[in-house]
Amino acid sequence: MSEPTKQRPKVPEGSSRFLKTRQMAPNEKGYVGYETIWEPFHKVAEYSTPKRP
């Protein structure tokens, strides 16, 4: 029997409406983490003071 490989397969970049995930490189212990990038949920309007009467 052949041994299973110790390397994790490369996972494609995932994306949804507000979130993107990217696979990071393995560290010295072999742990493969995932980087998450959040997009803002709403836009912030610039505030301007109202006109004075």
Side-chain angles (χ1 to χ4, degrees):
M1 285 274 209
S2 62
E3 288 187 28
T5 60
K6 298 199 182 224
Q7 298 242 347
R8 301 267 313 201
K10 182 71 177 163
V11 177
E13 185 175 309
S15 63
S16 64
R17 188 170 178 194
F18 297 110
L19 176 72
K20 287 186 181 180
T21 57
R22 212 178 286 150
Q23 184 178 9
M24 298 184 341
N27 63 6
E28 61 276 350
K29 294 183 180 179
Y31 175 74
V32 177
Y34 295 92
E35 177 184 17
T36 55
I37 303 165
W38 287 94
E39 299 290 329
F41 289 101
H42 54 82
K43 295 180 181 177
V44 178
E46 190 172 324
Y47 177 76
S48 61
T49 56
K51 292 183 183 177
R52 296 186 67 116

